[in-house]
Amino acid sequence: MREIGIPHPRLPLPEPGRRDEPQAFLDWLAEAIPMVEQLGIREMRWEGESLVWELALAPNLNDKGTGFGGALTAQTTLLGWCWTTLWLRQRGYARDVVVAEASQRFLAPVTGDYRIACAPDQPQGPKGLAERLETRGRGRISLAQRLWCDDALCLEARGDYAVLPAE
């Protein structure tokens, strides 16, 4: 059980240049952020530069029987945090990441199980973040999240994620 005001221990960094094993990271995430177990995440995987979650709709229903906007918003925000954290970890950085700004645009109701993909908003985003980390010890990246239910794009989100300086 997590205690208020007590940070959760970090997961050990993967070997240099390697990515975290997705299920091990999700298991740690569920301990670090208790609500993660309730989000219906079935799978996490990388598809090139995109981090993708497959999710069940049932735990995220609203009163109308479709996807609850608050849950979907939390998922897009958390997926961006995961993208940034995993990108840093692959490069040997154990840093705190926070969402600095986020927005969502709901396009269609979510009526079945769905997937969310998160990738840099700009192709040069990761390179720019790496340069800022090297020169300033901190940085920011803008990420885009897209939620798909079958072939329908239901939600577009954007978020700026700040990487805080080393302690």
Side-chain angles (χ1 to χ4, degrees):
M1 178 104 168
R2 292 292 316 280
E3 291 187 42
I4 296 170
I6 306 296
H8 190 70
R10 291 184 193 270
L11 191 62
L13 288 171
E15 293 179 28
R18 295 192 51 112
R19 287 185 166 163
D20 284 277
E21 196 285 313
Q23 191 57 52
F25 184 80
L26 277 177
D27 291 345
W28 171 84
L29 190 63
E31 292 174 9
I33 303 173
M35 73 178 263
V36 166
E37 287 186 319
Q38 308 305 315
L39 294 179
I41 304 167
R42 293 181 173 172
E43 180 188 356
M44 178 175 76
R45 67 181 179 278
W46 286 98
E47 292 180 1
E49 286 294 309
S50 292
L51 185 60
V52 178
W53 278 355
E54 298 285 342
L55 299 110
L57 176 59
N60 300 294
L61 288 172
N62 64 17
D63 59 316
K64 295 162 215 50
T66 61
F68 173 55
L72 305 177
T73 297
Q75 291 164 352
T76 60
T77 301
L78 183 57
L79 184 56
W81 180 92
C82 288
W83 189 100
T84 308
T85 298
L86 289 167
W87 184 91
L88 290 166
R89 291 174 53 76
Q90 183 181 2
R91 287 150 184 82
Y93 291 103
R95 296 289 187 83
D96 286 329
V97 174
V98 297
V99 60
E101 189 174 329
S103 64
Q104 302 79 32
R105 193 173 81 147
F106 296 88
L107 305 169
V110 177
T111 58
D113 293 347
Y114 55 100
R115 71 187 178 286
I116 307 173
C118 177
D121 200 24
Q122 302 293 320
Q124 294 300 315
K127 182 180 178 190
L129 176 58
E131 290 170 357
R132 286 185 295 280
L133 287 169
E134 187 67 32
T135 60
R136 293 191 264 167
R138 59 188 170 93
R140 229 180 215 218
I141 189 164
S142 181
L143 300 173
Q145 300 89 15
R146 289 179 179 82
L147 185 154
W148 297 87
C149 186
D150 292 322
D151 292 331
L153 179 60
C154 298
L155 169 64
E156 291 181 318
R158 300 251 182 299
D160 285 349
Y161 294 83
V163 179
L164 302 180
E167 296 174 354

